Every structure is written in structure tokens, then in C-alpha cells.
Amino acid sequence: MSKRNAQSAAAGAITAAPGMFKREDRLTAWFIGIAMVALFIGGSFGPLQKLEHVGINWYPALSQIGIGSVRIQSYYQGLTAHGVLNALVWTTFFIVGFFTYALPRRLGRPLARPRVNLIALIVMVIGLIMAAVPILMNLATVLYTFYPPMKASVFFYLGLVLVVVGSWIAGLSYYLTYWQWRRDNPGQKTPFIALAAIITMVMWQIATLGIAIEILVLIIPWILGWTAGTDPQLARTFFWFTGHPLVYFWLLPAYVSWYGMVPKQAGGKLFSEQLARLVFWLFLVLSIPVGLHHQFVDPGVPQGWKTVHAILTYALFLPSMATAFTVAASLETGGRARGGKGLLGWIPKLPWGNPSYTAQNLA
């Protein structure tokens, strides 16, 4: 790669050749398409749950719809489908699709091993089907937290494992692509969006070790009768090792867009790229060891550990507030570049007519 092209790639100003990202676009369409279907189906249970709380029970009527035993028969079955599809399926598929689209473009090269991403998609779809069928058959009505001693079909747990493993495989493809870019661009600063995507996937792969251990070591042997029982307290702890960083796995792709895309849409530039990079490194360090704050009332967790996790939880205030400041400052820069004057005159000058910008700003 020439010096000029390397600098262009580092700045994220990629001019793609026609068809350069054709495979990436197809993969992105599949990942995000499945994610949106999951969001629509999972979200559709939300109004039903609200109606249940005001005394209108729709589930008897809903139970008449289906094939054989594949139907929604209870409030908690619907709540399980809602949680799994919205919190786990929609988010994971969408994020993998988003990074499949964004990372190659910011590195200025196609994915190094697109077939790896295809394998990831196939594994995740198989896992989705394996987990969804038991839910629809009322064999996995354990909510998305699936706390023991509640039991579900073993296929539900295996399906969740495959969804996670598929996301790990997609992460491997990103690492290979980044390694290839780094080899061809020694000494160049990694484009921000690429760095943020890599950090997010590293965080996710470390965080999901907790839920992998819970399912493979504690739950599945118990479900299959290989062990006499399981430890609900330990299972909860492993779940929340993943369960809280899961929130940041949802959040950081939005940060990627707020930092890497919104300032340009606003007509300005990122106020401080160095601060944005620091924020992602801080989330990597701080986001994983905070899960015990979901267990503050659990008697089996020592007070000392609860205190440590409380301190680390409050420490996450720092990257969050740094983001609020940096993004707001970037928007002000863009608004003033468009002719905004005075204390707040830059706000009306922002491109509110651009749906992409407006949606992210209101978010």
C-alpha cells in the first residue's frame, strides 16, 4: 500500500472500488435481517405483557395459534421469548452484522477470511433455531437469565452456546483482517472505528466465558443427569460475569457510531479522538469485573467482593461522562461550522432533516 493510501485508510476516508465489499454487504444483510426479525417478534410480546399487567390476558387466545405443541401458552413463556430474542439474539446478530460492515470499510480492505464469517452466520442460525424451538414448545420457560434450579431442554442451552460461539468465530475473522492490515501498514495508527470494533469483540469474548462455563460445566451435566445437582449461587455468579458486560456489548457499537459517524453527519469532527480511544480501553478494563453488583442481596457473596464491585461499577461513570462530553462537544463543533451562533444557536443548525443523524441524536 502506498503512503497516500495508508494515510487515507488511517483517517477512515476509504474510497471503495466497485464491488469491493460485495461479500461483506451480503453477510451484513443476513446478520442484520435476522436481527430485525428477532427484534420484531420479541418486541411484539412487550404489549402483551403490559396488557397482562393491567388485567387483560391475551395468552389463552394466543395459545390457539401454532402447530402442534409449537405455540405460546403462558405469560412466562412469552416473557422468555421476549428476553431471549431481544436481549440475546437481536443484539448479537445486529452487532456482528454492524462490525462486518464497518470494520472492513475503515481498514480499506475486504475481510481476510469471509468464509469464516459465513461459518459464524451458519453456526449462529443453527443455535438460534435450537434455542427457539424449545421456547415455542414451552420446554424452556426459564426467562433469558435461566437461573437454576429452573430447567429447560438441553437444546435450549446448546443453542445459546452456538449463538455465542458463532459470535466468537466472527470475532476471529475481524482479528485476522486487522492483523493483515497491521502487517501492511506498520507504524500507522489504527482507524478509530476499527480499533473500537476490535476492543468490543475482545471484551465480549472475555465476558462470555462466564456464561459458557455456567452452561457447559454446571447446567448441561445437571440437565443430562451426569451430576446429582448444581449450585444455583455459583451459576448466578457465572451468569452475571457475562450478564453485566452484555450491557456494554449492546452499548459500545452505539458509541462507535456516536464517535465515528455522528460528528461527520453533524458537519464537524470528533472533538477528541484520544479521549474516545481511552473510553473504549476503559470499558475493556472496567466493564467485566462488575457483575456482582447484580448480587448485592445474595447472601453467598462476601461483603468484600460486593464492595470491590461497587467501586468498579462507579468507576464506569468516568467513560460514560467522557462520552457525554465528547459527543456533545462534537455536535456543537458541527453546529457552529454550519453557522450556529450564541450559546445554543448551534443546535437548530444541526442536520435534523437527516433521519440517520436525528435517530442517533435522540437515542
Side-chain angles (χ1 to χ4, degrees), residues 19 94 111 120 138 140 150 154 164 173 189 244 262 272 278 280 283 287 296 302 333-334 337-338 343 349:
F94 183 90
L111 291 168
N138 204 22
M150 293 189 293
V154 69
V164 171
S173 173
K189 180 185 288 187
H244 193 80
V262 170
S272 173
L278 176 62
F280 274 82
F283 270 114
S287 66
F296 278 158
T333 300
R338 290 172 174 267
L343 182 62
K349 295 293 185 180

Side-chain angles (χ1 to χ4, degrees), residues 299-335:
V301 180
Q303 287 294 116
W305 280 112
K306 291 178 181 178
T307 301
V308 169
H309 281 238
I311 294 171
L312 291 172
T313 299
Y314 285 119
L316 283 163
F317 175 84
L318 299 175
S320 298
M321 290 301 98
T323 297
F325 169 78
T326 306
V327 173
S330 301
L331 294 179
E332 182 176 354
T333 300

